[in-house]
Amino acid sequence: FRWMRDWGFNFVRIPMAYPYYLDIDRSTNITPEDVYKISEEHVDRIDHVVSLAHKHGLHVSLNLHRAPGYCVNAGFNEPYNLWKDQAALDAFCFHWNMWAKRYKNVSKKKISFDLLNEPSLREDMNDQHSKRSAVPGELYRKLAIAASEAIRKENPKHLIIADGNNVGNTVIPEITDLDIAQSCRGYNPGIISHYKAPWANKDPDSLPEPKWPGQVGDRYLSRELLEEYYKPWIELTKSGVGVHCGECGCWNKTPHDVFLAWFTDVLDILGENKIGFALWEFVGSFGILDSGRTDVAYEDWHGHKLDRKLLDLLRKA
């Protein structure tokens, strides 16, 4: 957090998988009863992270990356479906009420609540490659109203963010009247951001080589594509709804020069429209530090490998 602050950043998004802070038997599937078994020890650990971030002047956005009844990632078992079952929605609101109560006296300048990471409907929740579709607008609105009421019951001024529909890609017109900001993504097109990522491609080795700008497969990729993609989000900001890019970045198999050329355009468009952003991630395969890229001249940074070119780009944005 000190490095983030010293490099000029002021925002950190903390994605949480709710089973992490439950007091449960992790060798068995979660039950509806387990979802309410909060581990104060683990909640305190998250609270410590929040306190450290605040100590260093960072705004904290708490996000349920895995929530009762839903996660964008497959390979887990939930006792119900957040979009279909009232019991799941009740548990979802229980968790957000708990976090809102814990930070009821914290200014919205210091903390926000990002309801659910990358909502979608999936045909098979256990198959990471199964077909996904957008959540019907009335279902998303139902969830947003219930969760926001659970949060603002503790503090009516709490700042709430809803990730865009269809895995964070599309504006949610059904909630624009609810005083809830919306969060877009910086992963378009996926052939650039998730090149050869096994969780995003059924046959990673068959993909055409990414270029920016340039012809990739049957599409010509350029800044114009991005401008069209972000147009609805830009219009949303003009209507008075807050917009933030809650995740952006590129996996480490995309050639570094292609990544930087594409990301320059992404950040330029976001910046021109006063849309803030959060990089996924700080340390790791998408990160500033220890990304594992094979085509980067890393700089040693206190025992970590620093991608100085990426850092410089982010600091200019």
Side-chain angles (χ1 to χ4, degrees):
F1 290 148
R2 185 170 63 249
W3 295 342
M4 291 181 186
R5 178 201 64 194
D6 291 349
W7 283 332
F9 305 122
N10 60 11
F11 178 98
V12 60
R13 179 171 178 259
I14 300 177
M16 302 180 295
Y18 81 92
Y20 168 80
Y21 58 82
L22 297 180
D23 185 8
I24 58 174
D25 179 358
R26 299 178 187 281
S27 66
T28 62
N29 290 339
I30 293 174
T31 68
E33 294 74 29
D34 285 339
V35 173
Y36 291 91
K37 297 176 181 177
I38 302 298
S39 166
E40 287 301 322
E41 177 186 355
H42 286 81
V43 169
D44 285 344
R45 289 182 184 177
I46 295 172
D47 191 42
H48 179 62
V49 173
V50 173
S51 297
L52 283 176
H54 286 162
K55 176 183 175 181
H56 292 90
L58 302 175
H59 176 99
V60 173
S61 183
L62 289 179
N63 164 248
L64 277 181
H65 202 84
R66 176 178 173 185
Y70 180 78
C71 183
V72 71
N73 305 107
F76 61 90
N77 289 280
E78 282 291 322
Y80 34 41
N81 185 315
L82 180 57
W83 306 112
K84 297 179 179 179
D85 302 316
Q86 185 62 42
L89 182 58
D90 290 344
F92 183 71
C93 292
F94 167 82
H95 281 258
W96 275 125
N97 179 258
M98 179 196 72
W99 289 112
K101 186 178 297 182
R102 197 167 189 94
Y103 301 111
K104 68 183 302 177
N105 296 319
V106 178
S107 167
K108 66 179 182 180
K109 294 182 179 179
K110 297 177 67 176
I111 198 159
S112 56
F113 303 90
D114 182 353
L115 298 178
L116 182 67
N117 183 68
E118 299 180 354
S120 69
L121 294 180
R122 196 204 319 260
E123 291 178 344
D124 182 353
M125 291 296 289
N126 291 310
D127 178 5
Q128 65 184 0
H129 296 303
S130 70
K131 186 177 179 181
R132 298 169 179 165
S133 60
V135 178
E138 67 274 13
L139 292 184
Y140 204 139
R141 181 177 175 85
K142 178 183 178 181
L143 176 140
I145 289 175
S148 62
E149 287 177 349
I151 290 169
R152 289 183 173 143
K153 175 183 177 182
E154 306 304 329
N155 184 337
K157 295 183 179 179
H158 270 326
L159 177 58
I160 299 172
I161 302 171
D163 280 12
N165 207 337
N166 196 22
V167 199
N169 284 296
T170 57
V171 167
I172 319 147
E174 294 84 2
I175 69 167
T176 54
D177 62 320
L178 298 181
D179 188 26
I180 295 175
Q182 297 193 31
S183 179
C184 63
R185 290 294 179 265
Y187 295 137
N188 188 50
I191 187 64
I192 301 293
S193 66
H194 287 70
Y195 179 59
K196 290 193 174 182
W199 67 90
N201 303 278
K202 288 185 177 181
D203 187 8
D205 293 332
S206 69
L207 297 173
E209 182 181 354
K211 300 174 185 176
W212 193 270
Q215 188 74 30
V216 180
D218 59 358
R219 289 199 298 171
Y220 185 82
L221 307 182
S222 68
R223 182 185 174 103
E224 286 71 24
L225 180 151
L226 292 176
E227 290 173 340
E228 186 65 25
Y229 173 78
Y230 286 111
K231 187 176 179 180
W233 293 101
I234 295 167
E235 291 301 315
L236 188 63
T237 68
K238 292 177 180 178
S239 74
V241 176
V243 174
H244 186 265
C245 183
E247 286 184 23
C248 59
C250 189
W251 201 47
N252 61 13
K253 295 300 184 290
T254 302
H256 199 237
D257 59 340
V258 174
F259 163 40
L260 294 181
W262 163 78
F263 207 37
T264 296
D265 283 339
V266 171
L267 295 181
D268 189 44
I269 291 170
L270 294 175
E272 284 181 356
N273 293 282
K274 295 181 169 45
I275 298 174
F277 65 90
L279 180 74
W280 184 283
E281 55 203 323
F282 190 63
V283 180
S285 55
F286 281 72
I288 300 171
L289 299 171
D290 302 336
S291 65
R293 295 180 182 276
T294 59
D295 56 351
V296 173
Y298 288 107
E299 177 181 322
D300 180 69
W301 184 265
H302 304 279
H304 293 275
K305 293 182 177 180
L306 170 63
D307 184 345
R308 174 63 70 174
K309 287 185 177 181
L310 174 56
L311 175 59
D312 288 345
L313 175 59
L314 291 166
R315 295 180 71 185
K316 292 176 183 176

